[in-house]
Amino acid sequence: NAGVTQTPKFRVLKTGQSMTLLCAQDMNHEYMYWYRQDPGMGLRLIHYSVGEGTTAKGEVPDGYNVSRLKKQNFLLGLESAAPSQTSVYFCASSYSPLTYNEQFFGPGTRLTVL
Amino acid sequence: DQQVKQNSPSLSVQEGRISILNCDYTNSMFDYFLWYKKYPAEGPTFLISISSIKDKNEDGRFTVFLNKSAKHLSLHIVPSQPGDSAVYFCAARNTGNQFYFGTGTSLTVIP
């Protein structure tokens, strides 16, 4: 089991460029999440998905789009990158909330926007 | 506004002593609380959790206490070991299964 994997691990973009971050999980989890971690801010939820084909906004969704076409994959897109989107991005997944379940995190993607 | 707060950015403890990490929250609708541990350049990993219907949960050297009336939870590590040195995040879940994280406390256990 690979758990939760993220691609790429590092990326440098110029302002205005676009990119897609890929998250994949092999645990058959229903729920998937995208977070960003900034110094002094903890982890903040960007978007999440409660199942294949569904997405919902989190705390800080502006400037990002997501898609969940397959249950095991959750994509985070930046259409026009801005320096304020420089951050470390973490993907996570979990079982349904019917029981008390923790989230499993990927290793992170460090993104720098110049 | 930050719904989950960790007011101590860092904590240093001697090996073998108790480490106490604190967390406060504002939303009384949170029903599940978790602690995660994070090493540099890695994702957070789950450590221990507690539901809102309990006031204590223990797992080996780790114990989490929940005081609902004070909207406060704490993580106790006894005895502390050098391998426990990491950043610890507390998190709380709302009824929509969204998780809110604190800003983290960096624990250093001194050998």
Side-chain angles (χ1 to χ4, degrees):
Chain A
N1 274 0
V4 180
T5 58
Q6 293 183 232
T7 309
K9 288 186 169 52
F10 303 94
R11 185 72 185 268
V12 178
L13 290 179
K14 294 181 179 178
T15 297
Q17 287 184 318
S18 63
M19 78 164 294
T20 300
L21 282 69
L22 172 63
C23 176
Q25 53 94 5
D26 61 1
M27 296 173 282
N28 203 32
H29 285 165
E30 288 293 329
Y31 280 58
M32 296 187 74
Y33 310 79
W34 275 108
Y35 292 90
R36 58 178 289 173
Q37 185 192 9
D38 302 294
M41 300 292 291
L43 283 83
R44 291 182 293 168
L45 182 64
I46 304 171
H47 286 280
Y48 66 103
S49 168
V50 304
E52 182 179 320
T54 73
T55 62
K57 294 180 179 179
E59 286 180 83
V60 289
D62 294 341
Y64 305 95
N65 56 75
V66 288
S67 64
R68 182 107 181 262
L69 299 180
K70 293 182 180 180
K71 185 177 184 179
Q72 63 268 33
N73 295 337
F74 195 30
L75 279 63
L76 177 71
L78 287 73
E79 290 185 347
S80 179
S84 61
Q85 294 177 304
T86 294
S87 188
V88 180
Y89 292 84
F90 290 101
C91 175
S93 68
S94 70
Y95 289 110
S96 78
L98 294 178
T99 56
Y100 296 113
N101 288 307
E102 72 273 20
Q103 295 176 309
F104 293 80
F105 282 85
T109 295
R110 185 173 293 275
L111 175 66
T112 301
V113 182
L114 302 176
Chain B
D1 194 25
Q2 196 85 15
Q3 297 193 44
V4 178
K5 298 179 182 179
Q6 293 175 259
N7 293 318
S8 297
S10 62
L11 175 68
S12 290
V13 172
Q14 287 289 132
E15 181 178 3
R17 299 288 187 106
I18 183 172
S19 296
I20 300 176
L21 293 84
N22 294 303
C23 180
D24 297 295
Y25 61 95
T26 57
N27 188 342
S28 58
M29 298 303 293
F30 288 144
D31 66 350
Y32 185 43
F33 303 88
L34 310 91
W35 284 94
Y36 287 85
K37 179 178 181 179
K38 185 183 180 306
Y39 292 116
E42 294 183 9
T45 56
F46 171 73
L47 191 58
I48 192 170
S49 63
I50 187 168
S51 73
S52 59
I53 61 174
K54 294 186 176 181
D55 55 19
K56 177 182 175 182
N57 188 29
E58 200 169 349
D59 183 3
R61 296 185 297 114
F62 303 91
T63 303
V64 56
F65 295 92
L66 176 63
N67 183 333
K68 286 185 66 177
S69 60
K71 294 191 180 67
H72 178 82
L73 67 155
S74 61
L75 173 68
H76 292 208
I77 306 174
V78 183
S80 301
Q81 299 174 353
D84 296 329
S85 297
V87 177
Y88 290 79
F89 290 97
C90 69
R93 187 186 74 177
N94 67 11
T95 52
N97 208 43
Q98 290 190 36
F99 291 83
Y100 293 83
F101 284 78
T103 52
T105 295
S106 178
L107 174 66
T108 301
V109 180
I110 303 164

